[in-house]
Amino acid sequence: MCGIVGAVANRNVVSTLIEGLSRLEYRGYDSAGIAVLNSSGIERVRAVGRVSAMTEKARELDLTGKVGIGHTRWATHGGVTESNAHPHVSKGELAVVHNGIIENHDEQRERLKTLGYEFVSQTDTEVIAHLIHYYHAQGLTLLAATQEAVSELTGAFAISVISIKEPEHMITARQGCPLLIGLAEGENFIASDVSAVLSVTRKVVYLEDGDVADIRGDDVTIYDRDGGIAERKVHMSDVSLASMELGPYSHFMQKEIHEQPRALTDTIEALIDDNAFSPALFGESASEVFEQVDSILILAAGTSYYAALTAKYWLESIAKVPTNVEIASEYRYRESVPNPRQLIVTISQSGETLDTMEALKHAKSLGQNLTLAICNVQESAIPRASQLVFYTRAGAEIGVASTKAFTTQLVALFTLAATLAKQQGLLNAETEQEYLTALRQLAGSVQHALNLEPQIREWAKSFANKQHALFLGRGIHYPIALEGALKLKEISYIHAEAYPAGELKHGPLALVDSDMPVVVIAPNDALLEKVKSNMQEVKARGGELFVFADADSHFTASEGVHVIRTPRHVGVLSPILHTIPVQMLAYHAALLKGTDVDKPRNLAKSVTVE
């Protein structure tokens, strides 16, 4: 999950490296560092904590260099210490930054020790530095040394290397972790994410697995895994710098919660303009692919997994397609029964989630080639590896706890269900127009839900001093309860769990007392009366209930029962609307606890390690 950046220019690149790392900090913030080449050799500065701590050190040293690399770390191998911070240096001659995990680092470490290399960190990354240095010292060019070294590494990685012996360029390589090249006039850059290079260029090239690139100020050459020169497409990024700024908001999570009406509108725009659910929304060959489908398997992780659980209800009730949902990291390590007619749907905000990418590869290796990616980032790895793609239009999401990416994923998945139903003759024209009308009105309904914030802020006071919380939902709203619990634990560190409300009596009810607030998702649907009965079970045990209901749910607040009503019931899209209040509850509880809302401890966005 770490972020890397690099630059080769005919000017001092330190400020560019620092700005890039600041924009990549959402990928990890345990430590940060940069290394540059100048007349003194390799100069390096590292610091535990945020990029700002490292920046102060760099300013004190008046660090300068025309070639440099930088890194912001999410710790995997080794503790959060300065000695484990990147860049790592070998023999004072070569520096490396690395995102990913080297699985065979132990055996390589032992081999390198016998070759005379001393290790000063606990990281797997230091192995890369010494291995490249070893081959470089044998007379290979930096490019050839890097190619040889990466051929001996097992795992996932994106790396960049600089050497005092070849100070005019840097070498970078990708295997399983995201990496792009930013192209500019007389200078070139590398980064984990386009946000890191937007201030200097919008022209980017996405490296593919196995690529090794030679980056110079006036030239870039990319080699594929076989060593041949590779041509990679140049893209013009449409990501705006303004989307990376806080503006009038206090936190990115707050901003992104309030950006949801626009994100949903942008995601819905294509099908609303066509006034129809069309397979073409998913790709030119989608109609042909959908004709072959007899079932669906959705692979996802984290918040995207809860979106998938919600989609299962839509896909089976609307499209009548048998649907399974699996956690991506579990799927690839079990024996499954492959079905070539099963549509493999992957969901990833970044399009680079390693567990999901590897699960997709595994499915394809089993002969399951009907694949669809739902993703927020154009030209990322998972869409490129998929037959069909639906891009959400959430825009940049910086906060680690996903908000607008989740709700736009739900829109995409609902669209898939309606499209499959229509293609199979299960969606008549009247119902299609009802669904389209509901989608048109969704942004307005979400805005109404956002207007509940003052009431939710008051509720948060009842959570901030608690150690535990329970979330309940039934049917299609159970995954929203799961999402609410995840958000609360992610950013407030309050232990929270979610259960189908009917499961209370099968165990979880033993936990309920006056010190455990119980949040209930209770829309006015067919299961409302069942939910009310489950609530009585909580109330009878002295539990305090916090109920998110619809305007027409006929709940009455009383002692120990607090009720907030959304303005109206939005029918089949109700899970999307009820996501908004649980996001805001988590946000305000975290504010009251004083935690770092955007960068919660131990976590990072774009999970590119296994």
Side-chain angles (χ1 to χ4, degrees):
M1 279 112 79
C2 310
I4 65 175
V5 65
V8 181
N10 194 29
R11 60 180 175 86
N12 184 14
V13 298
V14 170
S15 61
T16 301
L17 296 175
I18 290 173
E19 181 179 358
L21 290 181
S22 296
R23 297 193 184 281
L24 291 175
E25 198 169 30
Y26 70 91
R27 302 178 71 93
Y29 31 88
D30 290 329
S31 61
I34 57 177
V36 294
L37 300 178
N38 55 34
S39 58
S40 300
I42 292 178
E43 283 198 289
R44 175 178 59 164
V45 60
R46 301 178 294 174
V48 170
R50 302 297 167 81
V51 171
S52 57
M54 182 273 297
T55 301
E56 287 303 313
K57 281 190 168 185
R59 287 175 179 160
E60 290 170 5
L61 293 171
D62 194 25
L63 200 65
T64 60
K66 296 179 180 180
V67 176
I69 52 178
H71 187 273
T72 181
R73 181 176 187 240
W74 184 78
T76 54
H77 296 74
V80 180
T81 63
E82 186 171 317
S83 63
N84 287 330
H86 299 217
H88 289 283
V89 173
S90 180
K91 304 286 190 180
E93 297 178 343
L94 178 148
V96 170
V97 289
H98 164 226
N99 173 27
I101 289 179
I102 304 303
E103 295 175 358
N104 62 337
H105 69 98
D106 280 336
E107 62 188 73
Q108 291 288 356
R109 183 184 295 262
E110 293 308 310
R111 171 194 171 196
L112 288 161
K113 284 181 178 178
T114 65
L115 293 171
Y117 287 90
E118 294 184 8
F119 285 79
V120 296
S121 79
Q122 301 164 302
T123 68
D124 54 342
T125 303
E126 194 175 1
V127 164
I128 304 173
H130 294 323
L131 191 58
I132 296 174
H133 180 274
Y134 170 74
Y135 286 117
H136 200 22
Q138 303 307 303
L140 294 182
T141 65
L142 186 60
L143 170 65
T146 303
Q147 289 172 315
E148 182 64 32
V150 298
S151 72
E152 298 180 6
L153 299 176
T154 302
F157 52 81
I159 64 173
S160 192
V161 192
I162 56 175
S163 170
I164 60 173
K165 292 184 177 180
E166 298 182 27
E168 72 282 357
H169 68 148
M170 67 180 167
I171 306 298
T172 194
R174 172 201 165 132
Q175 179 61 51
C177 292
L179 195 62
L180 61 83
I181 301 170
L183 306 174
E185 192 67 33
E187 55 187 28
N188 292 302
F189 309 87
I190 63 97
S192 299
D193 186 281
V194 70
S195 61
V197 299
L198 281 178
S199 64
V200 287
T201 184
R202 292 186 175 277
K203 191 183 295 185
V204 297
V205 173
Y206 295 94
L207 295 181
E208 297 186 6
D209 279 354
D211 284 353
V212 178
D214 186 343
I215 315 292
R216 299 170 186 268
D218 56 0
D219 187 45
V220 169
T221 307
I222 302 172
Y223 302 88
D224 61 24
R225 66 173 68 251
D226 297 320
I229 293 179
E231 298 293 331
R232 302 290 181 235
K233 186 178 177 181
V234 178
H235 301 267
M236 292 299 295
S237 175
D238 60 359
V239 177
S240 71
L241 273 175
S243 68
M244 307 287 177
E245 306 296 340
L246 268 175
Y249 297 97
S250 301
H251 303 91
F252 279 106
M253 184 177 181
Q254 181 190 30
K255 178 189 179 191
E256 289 153 14
I257 288 172
H258 284 270
E259 284 177 338
Q260 285 176 109
R262 169 52 58 189
L264 292 166
T265 298
D266 289 347
T267 300
I268 294 165
E269 182 179 13
L271 63 132
I272 293 299
D273 284 350
D274 290 340
N275 198 37
F277 293 99
S278 167
L281 293 164
F282 299 88
E284 292 181 2
S285 63
S287 181
E288 179 184 343
V289 170
F290 290 165
E291 286 290 346
Q292 303 174 60
V293 170
D294 68 0
S295 60
I296 293 174
L297 172 62
I298 311 179
L299 303 170
T303 286
S304 295
Y305 173 70
Y306 297 145
L309 291 177
T310 308
K312 177 180 170 69
Y313 289 89
W314 283 326
L315 288 161
E316 294 195 337
S317 64
I318 297 172
K320 309 301 181 186
V321 180
T323 301
N324 287 325
V325 179
E326 293 211 37
I327 294 172
S329 58
E330 292 293 315
Y331 166 73
R332 61 183 290 227
Y333 292 114
R334 72 172 185 84
E335 289 190 20
S336 57
V337 180
N339 174 7
R341 295 189 63 190
Q342 187 172 60
L343 179 66
I344 303 297
V345 179
T346 51
I347 311 173
S348 169
Q349 188 281 138
S350 67
E352 304 284 356
T353 308
L354 186 63
D355 288 330
T356 307
M357 182 70 210
E358 293 302 317
L360 173 60
K361 290 179 181 177
H362 178 65
K364 291 169 71 174
S365 75
L366 298 175
Q368 298 191 242
N369 294 313
L370 304 179
T371 56
L372 164 65
I374 293 173
C375 181
N376 191 45
V377 180
Q378 299 268 341
E379 294 300 322
S380 49
I382 293 174
R384 291 203 307 271
S386 302
Q387 197 173 8
L388 306 176
V389 181
F390 187 104
Y391 285 114
T392 57
R393 299 292 189 272
E397 190 177 65
I398 306 301
V400 166
S402 181
T403 52
K404 60 180 180 173
F406 177 74
T407 49
T408 54
Q409 286 170 355
L410 291 177
V411 164
L413 291 160
F414 176 78
T415 301
L416 175 62
T419 302
L420 287 170
K422 182 179 178 181
Q423 180 151 334
Q424 296 175 71
L426 299 173
L427 184 67
N428 60 41
E430 181 181 355
T431 305
E432 180 178 21
Q433 290 307 308
E434 287 177 4
Y435 287 169
L436 290 167
T437 297
L439 285 167
R440 288 188 186 96
Q441 296 174 348
L442 182 60
S445 298
V446 167
Q447 186 57 58
H448 285 308
L450 290 170
N451 294 340
L452 299 171
E453 189 163 14
Q455 297 166 258
I456 294 171
R457 187 185 298 118
E458 285 300 308
W459 273 17
K461 295 176 182 177
S462 298
F463 287 75
N465 64 348
K466 302 296 185 183
Q467 299 297 312
H468 310 278
L470 191 62
F471 284 69
L472 303 177
R474 293 202 75 151
I476 198 170
H477 293 88
Y478 165 53
I480 306 308
L482 286 165
E483 174 65 7
L486 176 63
K487 286 291 162 285
L488 188 66
K489 72 181 89 173
E490 273 184 305
I491 63 171
S492 74
Y493 317 145
I494 296 169
H495 172 243
E497 298 294 337
Y499 284 90
E503 278 292 291
L504 268 178
K505 56 188 174 292
H506 296 293
L509 197 57
L511 297 171
V512 172
D513 60 20
S514 59
D515 288 326
M516 177 180 276
V518 178
V519 179
V520 184
I521 314 297
N524 189 16
D525 60 14
L527 292 172
L528 179 60
E529 293 306 316
K530 299 290 185 184
V531 172
K532 288 181 177 179
S533 296
N534 301 138
M535 288 169 53
Q536 290 301 319
E537 296 168 0
V538 172
K539 190 175 180 181
R541 274 77 179 178
E544 189 170 11
L545 289 155
F546 295 82
V547 185
F548 289 116
D550 292 332
D552 52 357
S553 290
H554 308 296
F555 276 103
T556 301
S558 60
E559 185 178 354
V561 181
H562 312 276
V563 180
I564 290 179
R565 293 179 175 84
T566 58
R568 59 186 174 188
H569 182 55
V570 293
V572 70
L573 299 179
S574 178
I576 300 174
L577 185 62
H578 278 274
T579 299
I580 310 303
V582 297
Q583 291 175 349
M584 289 194 292
L585 178 62
Y587 172 74
H588 285 290
L591 285 187
L592 290 170
K593 290 202 70 176
T595 61
D596 191 329
V597 173
D598 287 336
K599 299 181 178 68
R601 69 187 182 198
N602 304 333
L603 300 179
K605 209 169 186 71
S606 296
V607 184
T608 57
V609 297
E610 192 174 0

